Amino acid sequence: MPSSRRSFLKTTALGAGAAIAAPYAFVRTIDQAWGAQSWIKKGGPIKIGLLFSLSGGLAVPEEDSTLVMQYAIDEINKAGGIAGMPVEPVIVDAKSDFKVYSEKTKELILRNKVVSIFGCYTSASRKAILPTVMAQNHLLYYPTCYEGAECTQNTICTGPLANQHSKDLIPYMVKNFGKKVFFVGSNYVWPKESNKNAKIWLEQAGGELLGEEYIPLGGSEFGPVLNKIRDAKPNFIFSTVVGASDIAFHKQFKQEGFKVDTMPIASLTTGEIETRAMGNEFGAGHFLSAPYFEALDNPTNHKFVEGFLKSKYGKNGTTHYNMEETYLSAYVFKYGLEKAIKAVGLEGITPRAIRDHSGGIRVEDDVSPEGLIWIDDQNFNTWLKPKIGQCQADGSFKIVKAAEEQVAPDPYSIYPDLGKCTADGLKAPDGKIRKSVI
């Protein structure tokens, strides 16, 4: 029989010594931990987990994700909450450590009983927590870009996939700077899978790959890589370097005498936050592909930027694609939960019920700073408009290319033989369906 909440907490206290070594190893499922209680009680609060790094090498983008989620939650609560109930964040520091991401995921689900988790910035951290999220039939909002090639029934993504990210950037750079390119990335799954995609777009554009190098995640020594780039003489660099490493890369690029006008860096991650951290002089002239830039000229974005920067959460002085995608995830959650409550009632709400009712959810122009987006009703990624921006001398980005229409997310765009991601799982060409594919 499932234990009661009181007995679970008592057992937790008595077993604290063991829990330090193996937290929650004695509890395998949420029912064992809490019994068959509802996820959200009438009147609330609606508890959600914020699982980002507030320290370590990934804190550069992820601290701002935590701040903008709190801003969005305040905004939602001031407008009446969700179905009249307030949203309450449970904030944890993942410390840029994949083991901590995994441990905190169990803690958020089993101890805090959050109904959804918002978190991660790297695919390595996402893949570290997904086994727990899927085993608990829980729900992760992953609010940034990733490589695709996943089909789970427990994830909603509000960032771009590879087919919405580098597919326009590579031919744009080849057309404007030349065919020869050098790939540099952090050494984990997202850069490597992104580069597999980029090689296809490069071949289609008639380009030539001169070299491909990876440095450890969090690494800051780019001297050997820059020497290889100097010898290869590419027309541009395609970068999937992330976090503090990205800042070091751009600074050493300029300090080593490379010129942005003859060999710019085309990045998938270097936005306003990174430029502010490294100094505008190190970012100016380089390119970024993203669905959002702070400089987007529309009334909703003006309201978002002004409201956030004037709030107690706007201490870093800028907005950023990753922050905006995180902000959008809060509204995708709000609309999905409201839809689920109408369909199954409050007593029927589970993390999986929220996910199952989120297909087709739209965030309209008057809420979404980047413009209308919506959640695909099969793969639960986001339809959005890709854009390319060039960093200016003041650290802002000038939009140099934008898609005219929203582009469909395709997590298997370069792996068509594996099948198609549907709401029930990955459907192979022979009709067989596999669930929870990561």
Side-chain angles (χ1 to χ4, degrees):
M1 291 180 62
S3 59
S4 68
R5 175 181 178 183
R6 176 170 298 189
S7 65
F8 165 66
L9 294 176
K10 183 179 180 181
T11 302
T12 301
L14 292 173
I20 291 173
Y24 311 104
F26 50 93
V27 178
R28 291 194 297 272
T29 71
I30 188 67
D31 282 345
Q32 283 181 291
W34 288 80
Q37 299 182 29
S38 62
W39 283 88
I40 303 172
K41 294 181 180 179
K42 188 176 181 180
I46 300 167
K47 296 176 69 174
I48 61 174
L50 306 190
L51 181 63
F52 297 102
S53 289
L54 306 178
S55 57
L58 294 173
V60 172
E62 295 198 29
E63 181 188 21
D64 287 290
S65 297
T66 305
L67 292 169
V68 80
M69 269 301 294
Q70 293 176 83
Y71 174 74
I73 290 167
D74 282 0
E75 197 173 69
I76 289 170
N77 285 341
K78 287 177 182 175
I82 300 177
M85 296 176 286
V87 180
E88 179 182 298
V90 179
I91 302 171
V92 295
D93 179 7
K95 301 180 180 178
S96 302
D97 184 326
F98 303 138
K99 183 179 179 182
V100 176
Y101 278 98
S102 179
E103 291 174 351
K104 293 298 182 183
T105 298
K106 295 175 185 175
E107 190 173 310
L108 285 168
I109 297 173
L110 299 176
R111 173 182 289 176
N112 303 112
K113 202 172 185 277
V114 301
V115 73
S116 295
I117 295 173
F118 297 72
C120 304
Y121 174 73
T122 67
S123 291
S125 55
R126 187 187 68 256
K127 286 184 180 294
I129 74 170
L130 274 179
T132 298
V133 172
M134 294 187 297
Q136 299 295 337
N137 207 13
H138 209 265
L139 177 57
L140 169 68
Y141 287 82
Y142 184 67
T144 191
C145 56
Y146 80 110
E147 66 280 2
E150 287 183 4
C151 188
T152 85
Q153 289 65 65
N154 303 93
T155 309
I156 294 175
C157 176
T158 53
L161 290 171
N163 76 296
Q164 302 165 305
H165 212 187
S166 57
K167 192 172 184 178
D168 289 346
L169 179 63
I170 294 292
Y172 176 87
M173 297 302 294
V174 168
K175 179 180 178 181
N176 289 280
F177 293 96
K179 296 181 177 180
K180 297 178 180 179
V181 58
F182 200 105
F183 288 2
V184 182
S186 296
N187 192 12
Y188 71 101
V189 61
W190 175 72
K192 292 185 174 180
E193 280 295 319
S194 293
N195 284 348
K196 287 182 181 177
N197 285 266
K199 288 175 186 175
I200 293 175
W201 319 143
L202 183 65
E203 182 179 358
Q204 292 175 357
E208 179 183 1
L209 181 60
L210 301 184
E212 182 174 358
E213 293 289 330
Y214 296 92
I215 61 122
L217 192 61
S220 60
E221 176 50 61
F222 285 88
V225 172
L226 288 169
N227 286 337
K228 292 181 179 179
I229 292 173
R230 195 188 308 278
D231 292 340
K233 297 181 176 60
N235 299 120
F236 69 96
I237 299 167
F238 178 64
S239 172
T240 48
V241 180
V242 303
S245 300
D246 189 26
I247 294 165
F249 179 46
H250 279 73
K251 294 182 78 168
Q252 291 174 36
F253 173 91
K254 185 176 178 65
Q255 290 164 350
E256 288 293 326
F258 289 90
K259 303 297 183 184
V260 68
D261 55 341
T262 56
M263 194 192 301
I265 300 172
S267 170
L268 299 184
T269 60
T270 312
E272 292 88 347
I273 290 177
E274 290 82 3
T275 303
R276 190 177 182 87
M278 71 178 73
N280 295 342
E281 68 272 28
F282 297 104
H286 296 301
F287 292 82
L288 169 69
S289 174
Y292 173 83
F293 292 90
E294 187 179 73
L296 286 179
D297 187 16
N298 68 69
T300 302
N301 185 45
H302 296 165
K303 178 184 176 184
F304 169 65
V305 173
E306 182 178 0
F308 177 75
L309 295 184
K310 287 184 176 179
S311 76
K312 60 184 178 182
Y313 306 112
K315 63 179 184 179
N316 289 337
T318 190
T319 61
H320 182 263
Y321 69 88
N322 194 57
M323 295 167 63
E324 192 258 1
E325 291 157 10
T326 306
Y327 176 80
L328 290 179
S329 72
Y331 279 92
V332 171
F333 168 74
K334 168 181 163 62
Y335 301 152
L337 177 54
E338 288 173 342
K339 186 177 174 183
I341 291 173
K342 286 183 179 179
V344 301
L346 193 59
E347 66 283 356
I349 290 299
T350 64
R352 179 59 187 270
I354 299 171
R355 179 268 186 188
D356 289 348
H357 288 86
S358 293
I361 288 290
R362 296 163 62 97
V363 184
E364 303 285 349
D365 289 335
D366 61 345
V367 174
S368 171
E370 70 180 71
L372 170 66
I373 60 103
W374 64 91
I375 302 301
D376 189 89
D377 63 3
Q378 291 299 308
N379 60 48
F380 290 80
N381 293 283
T382 300
W383 289 66
L384 50 80
K385 289 183 179 180
K387 305 172 185 71
I388 298 171
Q390 183 179 27
C391 188
Q392 306 298 295
D394 64 356
S396 67
F397 280 75
K398 178 182 177 182
I399 311 301
V400 296
K401 182 178 174 62
E404 294 184 359
E405 303 292 341
Q406 284 81 1
V407 175
D410 185 356
Y412 288 88
S413 61
I414 66 168
Y415 301 110
D417 294 342
L418 293 179
K420 190 175 182 63
C421 185
T422 71
D424 296 324
L426 181 61
K427 187 175 183 179
D430 64 4
K432 293 182 180 178
I433 293 179
R434 288 192 296 149
K435 296 183 178 297
S436 303
V437 179
I438 62 173

